[in-house]
Amino acid sequence: MLGLELLLAGLLEGVPYGLAGLGFALIFRTAKELNFAFGATIAIGGYVTYSAAGAGAPVPLAMVLSLLVCALIGFLLRWGIFSRLRDHFAVLLFSFALSVIIENALQVFYGVHDVVADTPAMRESITLIPGTNLMATVVQIFGLVLLLVIWAAVWWAQARSKTGLGMTAVIRDAEIAELVGVRSEKMKLIAYAVGSALAGVAGSLTVMDTGVRPTLGFSILLYGFIATLLAGNRFVHTAIWGLAFAVVLNLSAVWLESQYRTLVAFAILVVYLIVRMLRLPRIAL
């Protein structure tokens, strides 16, 4: 029963990792840029939901508002700044500095401690199997279902829609995509907007569940980044890798104490890099 509880806890905990990983992977694979401000975008999404819910807005409206604000931030970052830097290393440094600035600004306005959105209905517990301790809150179940829906929608869009096919072409080779009429910069703008919107969703779900603090986005980004590497070029599956990654972290609690979770995370990353170095394609997806 303990293993089942840890498995369930991992699936529920992995929702923000899956959403953030999918959004980060979409940006990283399309624009070939490491946007470290993505973590701060997750925190912003959480605080927008927190402020909106505190002002009396219903949960759906608060989440939509968070999604739109984060999508706009991503779009403006790519359109106004990153596209003009024209150097991936410059984007990395600028986004890292911007992330530090945003985190400190959030600390000034909201403080350094966790805040939880005023949405008591979303935190009500539900027993999943009668007679057991397998329980989950409404927001956790909603988040898991939402992640699966978003994953399926992105998968379908990538394979069926004109925009998705154009984005896939840019991911494979931006120069060749331009030759066949795909506007690579437009695809990158869409990737930044959609990816940042997913960061907003991850932040919204987190602030309604366990709460958010200014630096929380970095830890979610770290796990999302590892999920991105595990998914490889099949970036759509980053959402599922995020869930699987969280499950492994929780199952490790059977043998290790909780303070070693970060150690386990980096151990998984090291193993992955070694596998890639040894060029084992069936394992290094």
Side-chain angles (χ1 to χ4, degrees), residues 16-253:
Y17 305 158
L19 286 169
L22 182 57
F24 182 83
L26 182 60
I27 294 172
F28 176 63
R29 296 298 178 187
T30 306
K32 307 297 188 296
E33 295 171 347
L34 285 170
N35 174 24
F36 279 107
F38 191 86
T41 306
I42 296 172
I44 290 174
Y47 281 111
V48 169
T49 298
Y50 170 78
S51 299
V59 170
L61 178 59
M63 291 191 66
V64 170
L65 182 60
S66 174
L67 182 153
L68 292 176
V69 168
C70 291
L72 181 61
I73 290 173
F75 179 88
L76 291 177
L77 279 177
R78 175 63 200 179
W79 176 73
I81 301 174
F82 294 165
S83 63
R84 290 167 168 75
L85 292 177
R86 300 186 182 280
D87 181 81
H88 300 325
F89 187 65
V91 170
L92 187 153
L93 291 178
F94 184 93
S95 63
F96 181 77
L98 181 61
S99 176
V100 173
I101 292 172
I102 293 174
E103 287 179 2
N104 281 272
L106 291 173
Q107 288 182 12
V108 171
F109 285 100
Y110 293 99
V112 298
H113 301 294
D114 288 20
V115 296
V116 181
D118 184 21
T119 54
M122 297 296 287
R123 291 194 300 275
E124 290 185 1
S125 296
I126 299 174
T127 300
L128 301 179
I129 301 178
T132 69
N133 293 324
L134 295 179
M135 303 179 68
T137 62
V138 173
V139 68
Q140 289 173 335
I141 298 172
F142 171 71
L144 182 59
V145 173
L146 183 61
L147 170 63
L148 296 177
V149 170
I150 290 175
W151 168 61
V154 173
W155 195 358
W156 177 88
Q158 183 199 26
R160 301 291 183 179
S161 71
K162 181 178 179 180
T163 299
L165 292 172
M167 197 170 293
T168 300
V170 172
I171 290 173
R172 291 175 177 172
D173 194 313
E175 293 183 359
I176 293 179
E178 287 279 359
L179 292 176
V180 297
V182 178
R183 296 169 57 189
S184 61
E185 182 56 32
K186 179 182 177 181
M187 295 298 106
K188 292 175 183 178
L189 284 170
I190 294 174
Y192 262 87
V194 174
S196 299
L198 293 178
V201 176
S204 292
L205 294 172
T206 303
V207 78
M208 289 187 291
D209 184 17
T210 57
V212 69
R213 60 185 180 277
T215 58
L216 180 67
F218 179 78
S219 60
I220 296 178
L221 171 60
L222 172 63
Y223 295 151
F225 178 62
I226 294 176
T228 298
L229 293 179
L230 292 173
N233 291 328
R234 303 172 184 175
F235 80 91
V236 174
H237 299 321
T238 306
I240 304 304
W241 276 108
L243 292 177
F245 182 72
V247 168
V248 172
L249 288 182
N250 273 272
L251 290 177
S252 68

